[in-house]
Amino acid sequence: MTEFVEKKYVKKNSIEKRDYQINLANQAIDENCIVVLPTGLGKTAVALHVISEFLSKGTGGILFLAPTRVLVHQHYEFLKNNLTLDDISLITGEDPILKRTKLWNNSIVCATPEIARNDLNRKIVSPEQFNLVVFDEVHRTVGDYAYSGIAEWFAESSARLLGMTATLPSEKEKATELLTKLRISSVAERTEDSPDVKPYTQETNTEWINVELPSELKDIQKLLKLALDERYDTLRKNGIKLAEQQSLSALLRIRQFVLNQNRRSAKPLFTAIRIHYALNMLEAHGVTPFLKFCERAKAKKGVGVKELFEIDPNFTRAIHLANEAQSKGIEHSKIPKLKEIIESVPGKALIFTSYRDSVDLIYSKLTELGIPAGILIGKAGDTGLKQKKQIETVQNFRDGVFRVLIATRVGEEGLDIAEVNQVIFYDNVPSSVRHIQRRGRTGRKDTGKLVVLIAKNTIDETYYWIGKRKMTAAKSMGDKMTQVLEKNQEIESKKSGLDAFI
C-alpha cells in the first residue's frame, strides 16, 4: 500500500513517501547543500520536504529558481497542487514591474534567474525576505550566469541555499565554482544504483547507431576540410602553436591572444572558426541547416567573410554542391534512419537536436513521412515559442496529440514531459550534464530506450569520445566534492578565535 507524506503545509495523500527523498531533504535542511538525483526520481519532491520545514519556521519566504519559464511554471504548478498554501506566486520577465513588486511579497515565489537578479539589483526585492533559496539545475551557477549574481546577494544572508541537479559538472573548476559561490557544506547524492533508489528506477537500454554520410555530403565535407587546412597552415606559419588534431575549442581559446598580440592571424582564425561551425552543421545535421548557417554567417559581415563566401574556391564550391544536393532532396542519412527507429518502437518518441534549423528540418521531413510531430524550442528575442505555447506543446505531447516531440535544449532541463518510450539523440553533445538530462527523459515507468545517431568520420564521433570521458569524470565528482568539503570542515574546526574567519 502506498504511504504518503504527512507534513505541515503538505496536502494529505499528495506526495508518496520515499525514504531516499526524506534522507536527502534532511541533509539539505541542516546545511547549504547540493542534491544530486537522476531525472525522474523527484528532485522537486525533495525540495517540497525542505520547503515545508522552512515554512513551519515562519521566519521568511521561499525563493524557487529555475532556468526557463516553462520549468518555473512547472514548479509553480507542482507547489500549488501539493501545498496547502495560497500565496504562491510565479514571476517571469513577462510581468511588468508594478505587478512584480506586489508578487514578491508572497510566501513562496517561483522565478526565472534573470528577473530575480534584476529585481534584486533594482532593490524591488530584498534577500532578507527569504529564509530558503532553491536553485534548480544548479550546475548552471558558473561564469556570469544569473545564478552567480543571485548567490552574491545571499552571500551575507542567513538564508539556506539548496541546489538541485541530475548531475554534477565533470570539470574541477566548475565544481569548485559551484561550492564557493553557493557556500555549499555538503553534497547529497543518489544514483540509479543506490539501494534506496533502485526500487523506483527502470532500465534504459542504449543503442548507438552509425550512419554513413551520403556521397554528396562527403564531397562537400572534403572541400570544407581543405578550406580549413589552409587556415590552420597560415596560423602555424604566423607562429601560433596548434595541436595536430584540429579543434574548434582550441581556436576559441586563443581569440583574445590573437586580438591582443598576433593581429595578422585574426582573419585566418575567425575564418577557421566559421568553417568549423559550418562543417559541424553539415556533418551532424545535414544540407539545409548547413546552408542556413552560411546565410546567417554571410549576413554578419565579419572579418574575412567576403573572402570566404565569394572568393575561396573550396568554400564557394561546397556551397554550390550543397545547393545542388538540396534541390535533389538530399539532406542527411540520419533522416531515413529516424523513420526506421521511430517505427521500431511503439509509443512516444522524443528527439533532441541542438539547433533550431535542425528542428525545422526534422519536423518537415517527419510530417512528409506522415508521422505526427510537435516542436519544443525556447524563446530568443522575437523568434521561438513563447512560454504559453511551450506549455501547450508539452501538454499536447502528454495527451497524445502527436507521438513525436522534437526539442532543443529547452526540453532537456527538468521538464516533466511525459512517459516517453524512446529518446533519440539526433546529434551528440560533448557535455555530461546534457547527455544525462536528455537520457533521463525515458525509462521512468517502464524500460526505456535511448538511441544515439552517429555519422561516421564526423564531429559526432569526436563528441562521442569527449562525452564518454566527461561522463566518467562527472560520476566521481560527487565523492571528490564531499572529500574537499569534509577536509575544509576539519580545518575550520581546528581553528579558533580570529583564525576561524581568516
Side-chain angles (χ1 to χ4, degrees), residues 140-153:
R140 284 187 171 229
T141 318
V142 289
D144 57 1
Y145 184 68
Y147 276 177
S148 304
I150 293 165
E152 272 177 43
W153 274 104

Side-chain angles (χ1 to χ4, degrees), residues 349-392:
L350 178 54
I351 301 169
F352 280 115
T353 183
S354 299
Y355 297 99
R356 289 182 181 192
D357 294 336
S358 188
V359 169
D360 294 340
L361 171 69
I362 297 164
Y363 176 76
S364 67
K365 291 293 173 188
L366 290 184
T367 307
E368 273 173 34
L369 296 165
I371 297 168
I375 283 176
L376 182 64
I377 56 175
K379 182 169 180 343
D382 298 329
T383 62
L385 298 183
K386 286 193 170 177
Q387 179 188 345
K388 198 176 167 191
K389 187 69 184 158
Q390 289 176 14
I391 293 161
E392 195 183 301

Side-chain angles (χ1 to χ4, degrees), residues 205-492:
N205 301 317
T206 304
E207 192 182 345
W208 307 85
I209 295 180
N210 288 297
V211 296
E212 194 83 49
L213 286 182
S215 58
E216 291 84 353
L217 266 73
K218 282 182 181 173
D219 292 343
I220 302 165
Q221 181 191 38
K222 208 175 289 174
L223 290 163
L224 294 174
K225 284 185 171 177
L226 285 170
L228 199 52
D229 290 344
E230 217 174 283
R231 271 70 190 187
Y232 271 87
D233 288 345
T234 308
L235 289 168
R236 288 192 180 104
K237 276 177 198 157
N238 289 353
I240 289 177
K241 289 183 174 65
L242 290 165
E244 201 49 51
Q245 196 180 356
Q246 294 178 349
S247 154
L248 173 59
S249 54
L251 295 186
L252 293 171
R253 277 196 297 273
I254 60 166
R255 279 178 301 187
Q256 217 40 58
F257 167 77
V258 164
L259 289 172
N260 295 339
Q261 297 178 46
N262 196 321
R263 291 288 302 189
R264 65 192 175 137
S265 295
K267 196 179 195 176
L269 173 70
F270 287 104
T271 306
I273 288 170
R274 259 181 224 110
I275 300 168
H276 260 297
Y277 278 124
L279 181 60
N280 293 358
M281 287 301 275
L282 178 88
E283 290 182 341
H285 299 274
V287 172
T288 299
F290 162 74
L291 287 169
K292 285 195 175 171
F293 169 80
C294 289
E295 269 171 41
R296 281 194 298 272
K298 192 178 178 181
K300 280 183 182 167
K301 295 184 169 63
V303 60
V305 168
K306 192 177 168 66
E307 183 199 321
L308 181 66
F309 286 94
E310 292 176 25
I311 301 161
D312 186 293
N314 292 313
F315 201 85
T316 51
R317 176 84 184 133
I319 289 178
H320 174 73
L321 290 183
N323 279 312
E324 266 185 13
Q326 189 187 46
S327 68
K328 292 177 193 163
I330 296 160
E331 280 300 343
H332 200 293
S333 32
K334 287 180 183 179
I335 296 287
K337 187 56 80 174
L338 261 186
K339 181 177 189 279
E340 206 180 293
I341 296 162
I342 291 163
E343 288 175 350
S344 70
V345 175
K348 291 179 184 152
L350 178 54
I351 301 169
F352 280 115
T353 183
S354 299
Y355 297 99
R356 289 182 181 192
D357 294 336
S358 188
V359 169
D360 294 340
L361 171 69
I362 297 164
Y363 176 76
S364 67
K365 291 293 173 188
L366 290 184
T367 307
E368 273 173 34
L369 296 165
I371 297 168
I375 283 176
L376 182 64
I377 56 175
K379 182 169 180 343
D382 298 329
T383 62
L385 298 183
K386 286 193 170 177
Q387 179 188 345
K388 198 176 167 191
K389 187 69 184 158
Q390 289 176 14
I391 293 161
E392 195 183 301
T393 301
V394 170
Q395 195 53 53
N396 284 342
F397 187 52
R398 280 196 197 116
D399 296 342
V401 175
F402 38 81
R403 62 173 286 228
V404 178
L405 183 62
I406 310 146
T408 53
R409 191 170 185 166
V410 74
E412 292 172 5
E413 291 189 310
L415 276 188
D416 183 11
I417 284 177
E419 182 50 30
V420 174
N421 302 76
Q422 68 173 339
V423 167
I424 303 160
F425 289 13
Y426 188 77
D427 63 343
N428 230 327
V429 280
S431 153
S432 55
V433 171
R434 293 183 64 192
H435 182 100
I436 287 163
Q437 286 175 328
R438 283 178 167 196
R439 182 178 173 272
R441 304 288 131 219
T442 186
R444 293 184 173 201
K445 296 187 182 79
D446 212 339
T447 303
K449 187 180 180 188
L450 168 64
V451 177
V452 185
L453 288 171
I454 298 179
K456 285 184 207 166
N457 303 316
T458 70
I459 190 69
D460 279 342
E461 284 189 343
T462 311
Y463 282 174
Y464 166 76
W465 293 109
I466 295 171
K468 221 174 168 52
R469 195 177 68 239
K470 286 189 174 182
M471 293 274 283
T472 308
K475 275 180 183 164
S476 61
M477 192 53 78
D479 291 338
K480 285 179 187 165
M481 285 165 95
T482 301
Q483 282 165 17
V484 168
L485 292 166
E486 281 171 357
K487 206 171 175 183
N488 288 353
Q489 280 163 0
E490 226 173 273
I491 293 163
E492 286 302 314

